[in-house]
Each structure stands twice: as C-alpha cells, then as structure tokens.
Amino acid sequence: MSIDAKLRERAAKVVPGGMYGHLNAALHGPAYPQFFVGGEGCRQRDADGREYVDLMCSWGPVVLGHRHPAVEGAVAAQLAAGDCLNGPGPVYVELAELLVETVPQADWVMFSKNGTDATTQALMVARAATGRTKVLMAHGAYHGADPWCTPSTAGTTPNERADLVEFTYNDLASVEAAAAQAEGDVAAIIVTPFKHDSFEDQELVAAEFARGVRALADRIGAALVIDDVRGGWRIDLGGSWEPLGVRPDLYAFSKAMANGHPIAAVTGVDSLRGPAQTLYSTGSFWFNAAPMAAAKATIETLRAVDGIALMERAGTRLREGLAAQAASHGFTVNQTGPVQIPWLSFEGDATLDKGMFWAAACLEEGVYLHPWHNWFLSAAHTDADIDRALQGTDAAYAKLRARFGAD
Ligand code: PMP
C-alpha cells in the first residue's frame, strides 16, 4: 500500500470523509495524490516521493515558487523576533504603506487571513457605507466558502443568501436588470477580474463591461468590489483591472499575496475609510507578523524581478506548446484565461472524460495540472521547466489518442 493510501486510511478515521474542501483529491480523480511533503521552485513532491512540475502552485498562493529564499528569510527573521503578539508589529504599517504605494486604487488597507475574509469584509464596508442590503454577483462566481457564498448549500440557510441578486458575467444588461430588481437597495456589485468558474472555459472581461459596471455602481451609489483573490498579483501588481483603467471602490486580495503564507487584504478608496473604521472585523491570527513579512517580501520581489512578465513568458510558452501538440495529435482544444492563469478543455468534452483522462495521464508523466479548475504559473517556471512539462503533456496526448482516437 502506498504511503498516500495509508495516510488516507488513517485520515478517514479521524476527519469527516478524510479530507474536505478544494484540496480534496477525491474531487480531482483517482490518480491524484492527497498528501505532499515538499516543494522547491516550481516542483512539488508527494508523500510517496514522486516529483511533479507544479502547474497549480497550491491553487494560486505560490507565485514566486516554493520556498523562495527572500520570502522564507523574511519569515524566519520575523518568527525569531515574534509572530503572534499583543498587537501587530511595525511590519503591519510597512506592508500597508507598500500596498497603498503599489495599488493605485488603494488609499487604505485592512488585513485578514483568507480570501473569504476579504470578500466578506469588503461587503461589510459597502453595507456600512450605504446602509443598504443587496449585493449583485455573477451567477456561478466563487467568492469564498462562508455561508453567504459557498457553492454548496449544505449547512446554510436560504436567509444567508437572500440578499444576493445574480447577473451574467460580461452581460451589462443583466447587471442593470439585477440592480432594477434590487429596487434601490444595492450596497455592492462584486465581480471577479475575469470569469474563472470551475468546469467552464474561462472568459476575459470585456472592457465595456468593466467600464459599464463602474458607471452603474456610480449611478446607483453602490460600491464596486473586485474579488481579486484569484487573479491578484499575477495580472497586474496594481490590481487586475488597472490595465483597463477601471478602479473599484474595494479590492479583495489574498492567495498569491505572500507566496503561500496566510494573509488577505481589502484595499479601499478614501470615501470608504470612515465606514470601514466602524466595523468590528477581526481574528485571532489576522495580525500575525510573519505572514505580513512574507507579503512584504513577496510584493517587493515580484516588483524587483518583474514577476508578471516572467509568468506571462512561461504561460505563453506553455500555451503555444500545448496548442502545437494538440494539433499534431489531432485534438481540438480550447485554451482560455490569461496565459499565467490558464486552462485547457477538449472541444465537445462535456462529460470531461477526455479532460480527466488527459490530466491523469499528465500526472503519470510528472506534470501536476487540473482537469476542471484553472491552473497557475509562477515566476519560478523557467523555459526549461515549461519544456519539461510539455514533454509530459505530449506523452499524455499520445495516451489520450490511443484511448479515444483523434477528433
Ligand atoms: N474569491 C475567489 C475568486 C477565489 O478564487 C477564492 C479561493 N479560491 C476565494 C474568493 C476564497 O478564498 P479563500 O479560499 O482563501 O477563503
């Protein structure tokens, strides 16, 4: 029996279902290992010692590569000095200053721990500011796992979602209709920087949609919230809609902000500073200094090495390589999303039979990617790493062809 199987057996006795949430390997396919023991740069090692080129980056947090020396050095120094104290360390102020300097939209910052904390806190600020109740969100969008936003209704009540009104991503008329339905009671419009729902091809935002939701929020006096938890720190260090010239009232960040260390942030505009100050919003570990030191080192390093350009280069190489391989093996594939947050689906594969088979074959070939959730690249992916990944994907296409035949 593999070490992974033994660990699963033990986990099943002491944890409901053995594992839960987004990292539950049972959701990814039988070939996927559950337990990991190490990572270096863009490689991860599972509990049985198999090494993979990591195209998931721990579902986003790892943006500079595993165990990046600048980040781990900053964390070690902060841990040696003190992490969880009776108040935040000076690094709290330094990080807040760095964020205000890096994100042009930001006049102020509030910290928390997870992406769900940040999206929830952003909506609290919007409600405190407007005195209104309703929130407009895109159908199918993921904004976290609290009762108001978890995609599963188990353990929640209808009341907890009663204040959401849904629209269709990239369809401005549907946002207008949702606003009309909420009859003047809209506190916020929350939107992701691009459409990255699981099981579906991704969709970049249309510039006129982004400008349109900004104008609508202004017209109805609601706060525009961008949930940049997934896109943040990979598309633009100033916030993912900065290249469009559209600035929200509130950005929610987490995931890649501290290269795998636990921290989230909401950044806001001046007019929301007063309402933000009225919240009682806190957590036992929200002010720990080590993740703040990690975030500071991560953002400084991303700036210094032009991490986004590195990710775009790696992502372009991967996308072009995958396209050429698909064509040579006779498959029609759809590659969607920004190149540094990519996904690939097989044309006409509604059942995901091909996608699941191919992803499992990639795993066998030492490439860790995902059959139904977008992937993530990091600044640690060199040309050689991408070429190594492409060797694996090529072999996986060959296995797919042997199993299903070409399109
Ligand atoms: N918003 C988006 C867009 C996300 O992708 C996620 C996490 N996948 C969240 C919010 C929630 O973040 P967390 O899991 O850290 O609470």
Side-chain angles (χ1 to χ4, degrees), residues 57-83:
C57 296
S58 313
W59 268 247
V62 174
V63 70
L64 290 170
H66 299 275
R67 297 180 58 218
H68 188 276
V71 179
E72 295 315 304
V75 169
Q78 190 61 62
L79 285 174
D83 180 28

Side-chain angles (χ1 to χ4, degrees), residues 92-114:
Y92 165 94
V93 182
E94 292 159 13
L95 177 60
E97 286 171 349
L98 179 63
L99 283 166
V100 166
E101 182 193 308
T102 308
V103 178
Q105 167 265 3
D107 293 319
W108 54 262
V109 185
M110 287 173 82
F111 296 113
S112 55
K113 201 84 296 188
N114 290 288

Side-chain angles (χ1 to χ4, degrees), residues 22 114-117 119 142-145 192 196 227 229-230 254-255 373:
H22 69 299
N114 290 288
T116 310
D117 298 334
T119 54
Y142 186 75
H143 294 299
T192 54
H196 48 50
D227 175 356
V229 171
R230 201 176 305 185
S254 186
K255 282 200 186 278
H373 186 288

Side-chain angles (χ1 to χ4, degrees), residues 22-383:
H22 69 299
L23 298 182
N24 183 359
L27 304 174
H28 311 141
Y32 277 76
Q34 181 65 80
F35 294 96
F36 288 81
V37 292
E40 190 84 45
C42 68
R43 307 293 167 112
Q44 274 199 53
R45 234 174 19 265
D46 70 19
D48 286 286
R50 279 182 307 236
E51 187 176 275
Y52 306 94
V53 181
D54 179 15
L55 298 182
M56 282 307 283
C57 296
S58 313
W59 268 247
V62 174
V63 70
L64 290 170
H66 299 275
R67 297 180 58 218
H68 188 276
V71 179
E72 295 315 304
V75 169
Q78 190 61 62
L79 285 174
D83 180 28
C84 187
L85 302 169
N86 284 345
V91 69
Y92 165 94
V93 182
E94 292 159 13
L95 177 60
E97 286 171 349
L98 179 63
L99 283 166
V100 166
E101 182 193 308
T102 308
V103 178
Q105 167 265 3
D107 293 319
W108 54 262
V109 185
M110 287 173 82
F111 296 113
S112 55
K113 201 84 296 188
N114 290 288
T116 310
D117 298 334
T119 54
T120 302
Q121 191 180 55
L123 297 189
M124 287 171 75
V125 173
R127 287 178 168 133
T130 58
R132 301 181 189 165
T133 306
K134 305 278 188 208
V135 171
L136 313 187
M137 68 168 270
H139 178 72
Y142 186 75
H143 294 299
D146 270 359
W148 74 266
C149 52
T150 174
S152 157
T153 54
T156 70
T157 68
N159 275 355
E160 284 162 323
R161 305 181 71 91
D163 295 323
L164 300 174
V165 185
E166 292 190 341
F167 59 83
T168 303
Y169 199 94
N170 267 340
D171 177 354
L172 191 55
S174 74
V175 194
E176 302 264 2
Q181 194 186 323
E183 294 176 334
D185 194 23
V186 182
I189 305 173
I190 186 167
V191 65
T192 54
F194 66 100
K195 185 169 182 279
H196 48 50
D197 305 347
S198 294
F199 298 101
E200 285 179 22
D201 289 340
Q202 305 191 86
E203 213 178 289
L204 297 180
V205 68
E208 69 266 33
F209 177 76
R211 286 194 289 270
V213 290
R214 174 68 278 177
L216 174 64
D218 288 341
R219 200 171 74 235
I220 64 177
L224 178 61
V225 179
I226 296 184
D227 175 356
D228 215 1
V229 171
R230 201 176 305 185
W233 317 107
R234 278 193 168 80
I235 294 173
D236 191 294
L237 299 186
S240 293
W241 275 11
E242 197 56 21
L244 299 173
V246 178
R247 292 185 181 159
D249 301 296
L250 297 156
Y251 260 122
F253 294 110
S254 186
K255 282 200 186 278
M257 188 173 155
N259 203 44
H261 293 274
I263 189 164
V266 168
T267 65
V269 296
D270 242 336
S271 58
L272 296 176
R273 190 188 293 264
Q277 213 176 332
T278 64
L279 304 187
Y280 185 77
S281 185
T282 191
S284 295
F285 305 111
W286 283 15
F287 307 103
N288 283 20
M292 293 186 181
K296 192 166 161 252
T298 300
I299 295 165
E300 282 169 351
T301 305
L302 282 169
R303 278 164 63 153
V305 303
D306 198 352
I308 292 192
L310 293 173
M311 287 183 263
E312 282 173 345
R313 178 189 167 102
T316 302
R317 194 174 182 90
L318 179 67
R319 185 160 293 186
E320 288 172 355
L322 287 171
Q325 290 175 353
S328 82
H329 288 280
F331 292 110
T332 306
V333 296
N334 304 311
Q335 297 198 71
T336 53
V339 291
Q340 61 275 46
I341 312 177
W343 194 54
L344 179 149
S345 70
F346 290 86
E347 181 69 23
D349 186 33
T351 54
L352 275 185
D353 288 347
K354 284 184 184 170
M356 297 289 281
F357 182 94
W358 182 73
C362 287
L363 205 62
E364 277 172 15
E365 298 294 332
V367 184
Y368 193 105
L369 45 71
H370 202 283
W372 48 258
H373 186 288
N374 62 248
W375 320 333
F376 298 89
L377 294 186
S378 77
H381 286 86
T382 64
D383 288 356

